[in-house]
């Protein structure tokens, strides 16, 4: 009880402080927001369609026998499994759900279970799942969608994005308070995360003596396995209690949020004006020191990085365009033969739902040609994670394709709605309508694709050059910045952080360099991207 109280007494005030600060930043950002370049593709609403389905054998949790199950990957990236094919049998009985947030895919578990084509969904603290398929091809397909689910699946989370981000920041601060550094991630509910932190404190202060008293030979019921049992039992008890307490605290926070937001709205416009004035003064006193460092650190590598990354990125996006053009032409041909539009579009979504399988495989694989070059840069820039950069670009390409298919769907339906009567129309007339929608969507895809490539380059190069630039600049301007603290009016100090302002100014200056050194050359290169489409 003492340890739980200590953790919560530190966490809750920290959370409230971070939450208030996040609300302030959101209100300021909403007021300062300027419209960016207009996209032509329509954003697909949140997907509710199933992503994948297929048969496989799953090992039971208690008896460890193998039973054939029909798996369905839902739109929220959870796996449901049934005793029969739910797509053709409405009475199929659901046997369970697997939320794979925090899991990893072990691709070859055949030796462990003496089963061919076997893989594992593995977790350090939860039940692990062994699954085997009837063929290597089925296993490869299931594994690729399992990896996608592991990457995308989220634990149950707060729908309020500001509150969810505030929780993560406050949680990290609480970890640091007890010197728990290192990597962590949200893989369960907020209450369970707090329970895990309290359990760790219990381990350090209390349970270590119990563990030392346990016989540690082997991994059976007596030995290392006993430690796991004790740890899991304690975590379960603590998490249940803390989860309930945290839900109650959230209810209280929900009650005070409208008051905080109302106060902020009344006060925020003067704060925004004061922030603009302060940022202007900041630039005036620091720019003569910053400019030489821009020339020294930012300008030299930008052109070289751009040249190395440009070709595989453009090739990857060009393949994406070709895949969409090919699918669109196939759709028109199918409609000419009497095919159903809804079924064909659904098939388009399904065939592009995985970055490692289907029609998105080659475009993304080609784009990932940037990874070796980024790895070389990573040897001297340890903070840069090449695979994270490639993964974010992969996500952007997947979203672009999804939006293109959705836009085609909308354009077609709008064109059909303009006709007096679609019923009984000939297949040839329907195909002509589809071709007009396809032509319009292709142009929008190329337009938005070019914008996305520019954004991708700017973001990648920014992530590479900003950190060393910031590292040199901050000490160089510190003595110039500190006197400005006195220039901040007292009522504004609660809302404006000078350190944040410095970060914004440096971001703006690096962004201006990228506008000149990346966007203009990229526009010239992209002029040829439509060749051969």
């Amino acid at each position: 009880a003492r340890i739980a109280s200590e953790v919560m007494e530190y966490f809750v005030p920290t959370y409230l402080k971070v939450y208030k600060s996040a609300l302030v930043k959101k209100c300021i950002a909403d007021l300062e927001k300027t419209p960016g370049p207009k996209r032509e593709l329509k954003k697909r609403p949140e997907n509710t369609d199933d992503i994948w389905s297929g048969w496989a054998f799953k090992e039971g949790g208690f008896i460890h026998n193998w039973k054939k199950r029909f798996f369905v990957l839902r739109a929220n990236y959870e796996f449901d499994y049934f005793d029969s094919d739910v797509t053709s049998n409405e009475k199929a009985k659901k046997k369970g759900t697997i939320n794979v947030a925090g899991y990893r895919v072990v691709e070859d578990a055949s030796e462990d279970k003496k089963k061919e084509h076997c893989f594992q969904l593995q977790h350090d603290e939860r039940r692990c799942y062994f699954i085997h398929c009837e063929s290597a091809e089925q296993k490869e397909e299931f594994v690729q969608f399992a990896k996608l689910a592991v990457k995308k699946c989220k634990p149950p989370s707060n729908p309020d994005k500001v509150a969810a981000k505030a929780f993560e920041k406050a949680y990290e601060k609480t970890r640091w308070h007890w010197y728990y550094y290192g990597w962590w991630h949200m893989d369960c509910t907020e209450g369970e995360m707090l329970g895990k932190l309290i359990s760790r404190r219990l381990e350090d202060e209390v349970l270590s003596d119990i563990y030392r008293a346990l016989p540690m030979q082997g991994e059976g019921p007596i030995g290392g396995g006993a430690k796991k049992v004790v740890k899991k039992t304690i975590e379960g008890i603590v998490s249940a209690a803390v989860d309930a307490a945290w839900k109650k605290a959230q209810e209280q926070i929900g009650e005070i949020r409208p008051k905080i937001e109302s106060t902020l709205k009344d006060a925020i416009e003067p704060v925004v004006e004061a922030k603009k004035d302060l940022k202007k003064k900041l630039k005036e006193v620091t720019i003569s020191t910053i400019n030489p460092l821009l020339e020294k650190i930012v300008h030299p590598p930008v052109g070289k990085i751009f040249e190395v990354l440009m070709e595989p990125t453009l090739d990857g996006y060009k393949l994406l365009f070709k895949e969409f053009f090919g699918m669109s032409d196939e759709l028109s041909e199918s409609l000419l033969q009497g095919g159903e539009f809804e079924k064909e579009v659904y098939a388009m979504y399904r065939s592009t739902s995985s970055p490692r399988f289907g029609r998105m495989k080659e475009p993304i694989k080609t784009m990932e040609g940037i990874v070796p070059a980024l790895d070389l840069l990573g040897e001297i820039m340890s903070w840069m994670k090449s695979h994270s950069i490639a993964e974010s670009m992969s996500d952007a390409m997947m979203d672009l394709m999804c939006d293109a298919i959705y836009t085609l769907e909308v354009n077609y339906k709008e064109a059909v709605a303009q006709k007096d009567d679609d019923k009984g129309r000939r297949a040839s007339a329907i195909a002509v309508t589809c071709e007009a929608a396809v032509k319009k969507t292709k142009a929008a895809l190329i337009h938005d694709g070019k914008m996305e490539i520019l954004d991708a380059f700017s973001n990648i190069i920014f992530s590479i050059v900003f950190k060393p630039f910031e590292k040199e600049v901050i000490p160089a301007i510190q003595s110039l910045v500190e006197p400005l603290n006195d220039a901040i009016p007292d009522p504004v100090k609660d809302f404006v952080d000078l350190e944040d302002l410095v970060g914004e100014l440096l971001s703006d200056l690096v962004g201006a360099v990228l506008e000149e050194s990346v966007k203009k050359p990229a526009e010239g290169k992209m002029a040829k991207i439509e060749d051969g489409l």
Side-chain angles (χ1 to χ4, degrees), residues 50-54 70-75 77-82 84-87 142:
D50 295 336
I51 297 167
W52 173 85
S53 59
F70 188 79
F71 288 83
V72 180
L73 180 58
R74 301 299 193 186
Y77 297 98
E78 291 184 346
F79 283 103
D80 286 340
Y81 52 95
F82 300 80
S84 58
D85 184 346
V86 70
T87 62
F142 200 150

Side-chain angles (χ1 to χ4, degrees), residues 427-453:
S428 57
I430 294 173
V432 168
T433 303
C434 181
E435 283 174 12
V438 165
K439 185 177 179 181
K440 184 178 177 182
T441 308
K442 285 178 178 179
L445 173 61
I446 290 173
H447 173 272
D448 284 17
K450 289 179 177 179
M451 288 177 61
E452 193 169 281
I453 292 168

Side-chain angles (χ1 to χ4, degrees), residues 6 9 12 14 39 54 64 120 132 166 174 185 216 359 366 407 435 448 459 485:
E6 284 176 0
E9 282 174 9
V12 173
T14 303
R39 302 267 173 168
H64 299 296
Q120 184 188 26
H132 86 85
T174 307
H185 67 294
M216 296 304 290
R359 301 191 78 143
T366 302
T407 303
E435 283 174 12
D448 284 17
N459 292 336
N485 267 315

